[in-house]
Amino acid sequence: MKTFTFLIGLSLCCKFSVFSRKIIDLSYDFGPKSISWPGNPSFNLSHLLIGKQPGGFWLEKNWFSSNEHRGTHIDAPAHFYFGSLHIHQIPLDDLIGPGIVIRATKEANENNDFVMNKDFILNWEAENGQIPHGAIILLDFDWARRYLTFDENIIFGTKTVNDVSSYHYPGIGPDAMTYLVKEKHIKAIGTDATSPDAGQAVNYPSHRICGRYNTTIIENVANLASMPIKGSTVFLAAIKLKGGSGVPARVFAILDDDSCNMAATNIMSSSLFTIMIVFSIVNCYNGI
Ligand SMILES: *[C@@H]1O[C@H](CO)[C@@H](O)[C@H](O)[C@H]1NC(C)=O
Ligand SMILES: *[C@@H]1O[C@H](CO)[C@@H](O)[C@H](O)[C@H]1NC(C)=O
């Protein structure tokens, strides 16, 4: 009976811990200040109706317009590859996956044109273990600091925002992208910069590789400094925009509660083991 009570207590404790798990918001507020590729129409949110109604209750509703690729958003594979998936076709399973954060904050600060290559990823794996299949990769270039200035010159690393060839920000190279997509079968790749292709990349090679292999991209990811390099589940909560080439998203991560889970599993299995032994002994005594 004691063991039984203990097990119930333990399962309640672990059930409870699900609610106390840490959730990290990986999205910025979506609004007029959200960063977008220069030249896009501006975001617009305006009141359709706001105020106290004749019935005595408050009512507020708005109308907004925006381009798809603004602020923290996902790119559908169709964005850069004809015939690939549009937003509404991305399987839900591809929008949830184990989070793997690859940090290159030092490299990107020292060289704004830093391009992460395959060797960098292989070294990461040598140090931190294999990237699991189906991961959602998040590249931390310490670009959040720049995003939060809301200054296009700082974010795109240029003095001439209208000249795309003058952009300087870090990204991932086609060799690394191919490795992640073809050998690691990642579901998605995110960056805290404005694009997985570095500012100086020509013709968006990494975008096109993702497009070709139906891999989703996440741009302007927030709060990567708060993320563990592994041990999380990332959610790309985007509306199912029919025919969309991209869409703003509420991206977040739930951290694994390893300490509780492991302790619980260990205690649970050892308790079960004890019960089994007790039952076997009782059964032996009873001659069953
Ligand atoms: C924003 O939307 C409202 C409502 O449709 C419209 O009246 C206004 O002209 C729009 N402003 C811009 C800058 O597009
Ligand atoms: C990507 O998705 C499209 C649309 O479903 C499909 O036709 C294409 O074969 C897929 N590409 C790959 C490499 O799986």
Side-chain angles (χ1 to χ4, degrees):
M1 192 59 204
K2 253 187 186 159
T3 318
F4 186 63
T5 318
F6 172 71
L7 280 177
I8 291 205
L10 184 72
S11 63
L12 277 179
C13 147
C14 282
K15 209 170 185 79
F16 222 78
S17 79
V18 170
F19 298 107
S20 62
R21 274 188 195 175
K22 199 164 169 205
I23 304 179
I24 297 185
D25 194 344
L26 300 174
S27 296
Y28 295 114
D29 290 352
F30 181 64
K33 283 174 84 183
S34 301
I35 290 301
S36 181
W37 198 256
N40 274 291
S42 60
F43 175 94
N44 183 13
L45 180 132
S46 46
H47 299 307
L48 283 179
L49 185 67
I50 184 163
K52 202 160 185 184
Q53 301 302 300
F57 56 91
W58 179 264
L59 184 59
E60 177 175 336
K61 50 185 184 174
N62 307 313
W63 179 92
F64 78 90
S65 62
S66 172
N67 56 319
E68 298 165 322
H69 301 265
R70 175 181 292 277
T72 307
H73 69 275
I74 64 172
D75 284 3
H79 186 32
F80 269 88
Y81 203 82
F82 180 75
S84 281
L85 302 172
H86 284 92
I87 290 290
H88 70 286
Q89 297 165 318
I90 301 174
L92 207 43
D93 185 54
D94 281 2
L95 298 174
I96 305 171
I100 294 289
V101 176
I102 303 181
R103 285 214 161 83
T105 52
K106 191 171 144 279
E107 292 78 0
N109 277 316
E110 281 169 10
N111 170 15
N112 293 345
D113 292 321
F114 174 72
V115 175
M116 189 179 289
N117 60 18
K118 183 179 170 184
D119 278 347
F120 193 94
I121 309 258
L122 294 179
N123 286 338
W124 187 96
E125 286 193 304
E127 236 172 76
N128 303 294
Q130 292 285 308
I131 292 170
H133 282 199
I136 294 182
I137 307 284
L138 300 170
L139 307 177
D140 180 4
F141 294 124
D142 194 23
W143 230 248
R145 242 169 1 97
R146 292 175 182 247
Y147 188 93
L148 291 169
T149 64
F150 300 103
D151 180 333
E152 287 184 338
N153 291 321
I154 293 174
I155 296 163
F156 290 90
T158 179
K159 289 195 176 77
T160 48
V161 152
N162 293 326
D163 175 8
V164 173
S165 71
S166 71
Y167 292 179
H168 296 278
Y169 52 81
I172 183 165
D175 61 333
M177 201 64 247
T178 302
Y179 173 71
L180 290 174
V181 164
K182 289 183 80 168
E183 289 180 48
K184 295 294 166 176
H185 306 284
I186 62 166
K187 291 179 177 173
I189 182 151
T191 169
D192 57 356
T194 204
S195 157
D197 286 298
Q200 287 293 297
V202 178
N203 290 336
Y204 313 97
S206 289
H207 263 93
R208 287 158 58 200
I209 292 163
C210 287
R212 178 168 176 194
Y213 291 97
N214 286 324
T215 304
T216 302
I217 292 172
I218 319 137
E219 293 172 346
N220 301 316
V221 178
N223 288 326
L224 285 181
S226 315
M227 281 285 286
I229 57 166
K230 47 188 179 180
S232 73
T233 303
V234 172
F235 297 79
L236 312 180
I239 57 168
K240 207 173 171 182
L241 183 63
K242 178 100 175 167
S245 77
V247 76
R250 187 69 183 265
V251 180
F252 60 93
I254 302 184
L255 304 195
D256 296 352
D257 201 348
D258 277 343
S259 43
C260 174
N261 279 350
M262 281 173 60
T265 319
N266 287 343
I267 297 170
M268 197 75 101
S269 49
S270 62
S271 308
L272 281 176
F273 187 64
T274 314
I275 294 175
M276 277 163 63
I277 291 185
V278 171
F279 265 101
S280 322
I281 294 172
V282 171
N283 286 350
C284 278
Y285 262 102
N286 290 345
I288 297 168

